[in-house]
């Protein structure tokens, strides 16, 4: 194939970034179509990126003859149906998480993928494609820190964006499903196993608005994996300093820390406030390269007829674990998987 011709659906924050990457940064692909229900945003974006075909209906986009693949960055509730439709139309599919808003929908997505083994399917867990995480993963898998015994991961959003989080709360599913899924995926990836029990706690320490949705503004959980490794995850919405994702893997022969001091670059600012390092504003800035790398892996998998390392089953398993964490948080008791 000369170039993989792709259409992208959804022009929210992440969908817009994916469209921009497809238009200029992904090698071996051509962005031929965009789809969104916001006509003004669709036209403005398509004109700016030089995309000829514009659609407000996803099924109509799938009928475009010059279309090899689709990227799904639409609202979560639409993912399962769009995955099935795109595969049935003979398209390769990259989807943002989640596969579906329930575990049952995730399993329906599994069946859709299984019906089309000749199509490439990939779900976007972008942290696996961050250079630092890939580097650390190689060290763990090669045994350089011995046997991993503790995985610790924090995901914190800035307090200054709390209004958006409150507005999204009725539809987010809670912090474990909305935020901690990436930490859960990393825990499985680094520990190479599945959890057997979980205990979760947290609360509404600064914003009681989340309580009506059985959620908190800061939550955490402790999981024991079947291989006896421990995993501690923390998700927070009130970080005063900026977007903060950090991870630690402790082994019997060494420890790895990734972004233990969150910083957007290697610059140090010296001024009347002292000496400081600035933080990234949000996930788009922190993982900008990762979003390019993961879609490049999808395109390369199509071109070289291989299956991506991230599978539909990873999407389902992470959702199952996240729902179990949510249940443990709401019940206040330790649960087994």
């Amino acid at each position: 194939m000369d170039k993989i011709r792709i259409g992208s659906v959804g022009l929210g924050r992440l969908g817009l970034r994916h469209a921009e990457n497809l238009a200029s940064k992904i090698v071996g692909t051509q962005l031929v179509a965009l789809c969104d229900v916001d006509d003004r945003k669709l036209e403005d974006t398509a004109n700016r990126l030089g995309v000829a075909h514009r659609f407000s209906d996803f099924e109509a986009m799938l009928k475009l003859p010059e279309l090899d693949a689709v990227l799904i960055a639409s609202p979560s509730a639409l993912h399962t149906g769009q995955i099935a439709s795109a595969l049935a139309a003979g398209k390769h599919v990259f989807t943002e998480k989640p596969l579906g808003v329930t575990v049952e929908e995730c399993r329906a997505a599994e069946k859709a993928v299984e019906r089309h083994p000749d199509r490439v399917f990939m779900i976007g867990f972008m942290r696996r494609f961050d250079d630092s995480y890939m580097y650390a993963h190689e060290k763990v898998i090669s045994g350089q820190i011995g046997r991993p015994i503790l995985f610790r991961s924090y995901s914190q959003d800035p307090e200054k964006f709390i209004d958006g989080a409150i507005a999204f709360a009725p539809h987010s599913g809670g912090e474990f499903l909305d935020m901690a899924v990436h930490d859960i995926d990393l825990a499985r990836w680094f520990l190479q196993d599945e959890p057997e029990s979980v205990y979760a706690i947290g609360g509404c320490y600064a914003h009681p608005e989340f309580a009506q949705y059985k959620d908190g503004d800061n939550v955490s959980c402790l999981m024991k994996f079947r291989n006896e490794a421990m995993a501690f995850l923390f998700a927070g919405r009130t970080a005063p300093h900026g977007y903060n994702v950090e991870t630690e893997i402790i082994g019997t022969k060494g420890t790895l820390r990734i972004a233990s001091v969150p910083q957007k670059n290697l610059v140090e600012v010296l001024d009347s406030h002292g000496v400081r390092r600035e933080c990234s504003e949000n996930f788009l800035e922190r993982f900008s390269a990762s979003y390019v790398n993961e879609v490049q892996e999808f395109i390369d998998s199509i071109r070289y007829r291989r299956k991506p390392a991230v599978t539909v089953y990873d999407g389902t398993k992470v959702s199952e674990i996240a729902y179990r964490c949510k249940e443990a948080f709401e019940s206040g008791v330790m649960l087994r998987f």
Side-chain angles (χ1 to χ4, degrees):
M1 305 174 80
D2 182 22
K3 286 192 174 182
I4 309 301
R5 300 164 299 180
I6 193 167
S8 188
V9 57
L11 290 173
R13 284 192 302 169
L14 184 49
L16 181 60
R17 175 61 60 86
H18 277 309
E20 292 169 342
N21 289 342
L22 286 166
S24 62
K25 295 182 179 180
I26 309 300
V27 177
T29 191
Q30 180 182 3
L31 180 61
V32 298
L34 287 174
C35 180
D36 197 89
V37 295
D38 186 330
D39 292 336
R40 178 67 178 274
K41 180 183 289 186
L42 177 63
E43 289 301 310
D44 288 348
T45 305
N47 289 339
R48 177 167 61 87
L49 300 180
V51 180
H53 301 286
R54 302 103 189 263
F55 298 90
S56 59
D57 179 77
F58 181 71
E59 298 293 334
M61 185 177 77
L62 293 179
K63 295 176 183 177
L64 186 67
E66 57 267 36
L67 195 65
D68 304 310
V70 296
L71 187 150
I72 297 172
S74 54
S76 299
L78 302 177
H79 288 189
T80 305
Q82 290 180 341
I83 290 168
S85 293
L87 290 168
K91 313 305 179 187
H92 304 283
V93 176
F94 178 98
T95 184
E96 273 301 329
K97 60 89 177 170
L99 288 176
V101 295
T102 65
V103 173
E104 290 71 27
E105 285 192 0
C106 292
R107 293 190 178 123
E110 285 184 355
K111 290 182 172 58
V113 172
E114 290 166 354
R115 286 194 296 270
H116 303 278
D118 59 329
R119 299 293 91 183
V120 171
F121 175 85
M122 182 173 168
I123 185 169
F125 286 124
M126 80 291 186
R127 292 188 194 176
R128 293 197 192 196
F129 296 89
D130 174 79
D131 288 342
S132 296
Y133 280 103
M134 289 190 290
Y135 183 75
H137 187 258
E138 289 177 3
K139 287 187 174 294
V140 172
I141 298 305
S142 64
Q144 294 186 45
I145 66 166
R147 177 185 176 183
I149 58 176
L150 174 66
F151 173 90
R152 175 184 64 83
S153 193
Y154 293 172
S155 291
Q156 298 182 77
D157 283 343
E159 166 70 30
K160 65 181 179 180
F161 296 138
I162 195 65
D163 289 342
I166 292 172
F168 184 55
H171 315 289
S172 74
E175 278 190 280
F176 289 108
L177 290 155
D178 182 36
M179 295 180 64
V181 287
H182 291 291
D183 305 281
I184 292 169
D185 179 64
L186 287 179
R188 297 178 63 243
W189 191 45
F190 275 102
L191 298 177
Q192 296 288 290
D193 210 338
E194 306 293 348
E196 67 174 24
S197 61
V198 59
Y199 177 67
I201 57 175
C204 297
Y205 300 98
H207 300 281
E209 296 93 329
F210 292 103
Q212 62 185 305
Y213 308 111
K214 297 182 179 180
D215 196 11
D217 52 31
N218 288 271
V219 300
S220 66
C221 72
L222 178 64
M223 290 189 284
K224 180 180 179 181
F225 276 60
R226 294 183 306 201
N227 60 9
E228 297 187 340
M230 301 169 281
F232 176 75
L233 311 180
F234 171 71
R237 293 181 169 124
T238 59
H241 54 284
Y243 183 70
N244 186 172
V245 170
E246 61 177 285
T247 301
E248 180 178 49
I249 307 99
I250 298 176
T252 54
K253 297 180 179 179
T255 295
L256 299 174
R257 289 178 179 167
I258 305 162
S260 58
V261 177
Q263 58 193 75
K264 66 190 301 179
N265 51 41
L266 298 179
V267 175
E268 292 183 339
V269 180
L270 291 75
D271 58 16
S272 59
H273 299 288
V275 181
R276 69 183 188 279
R277 297 170 181 170
E278 296 177 329
C279 292
S280 298
E281 280 286 300
N282 52 41
F283 62 93
L284 291 174
E285 182 180 5
R286 167 63 180 85
F287 291 106
S288 59
S290 306
Y291 287 116
V292 173
N293 293 341
E294 65 176 359
V295 178
Q296 188 67 63
E297 168 65 14
F298 171 64
I299 295 299
D300 289 346
S301 295
I302 299 171
R303 178 175 300 280
Y304 300 114
R305 295 178 174 85
R306 67 177 189 234
K307 295 295 184 183
V310 188
T311 72
V312 66
Y313 306 107
D314 290 312
T316 299
K317 197 64 184 180
V318 166
S319 292
E320 287 177 337
I321 296 169
Y323 272 106
R324 201 62 168 158
C325 291
K326 174 180 171 65
E327 186 180 352
F329 170 71
E330 292 177 0
S331 67
V333 299
M334 186 182 75
L335 300 178
R336 300 190 69 83
F337 287 88

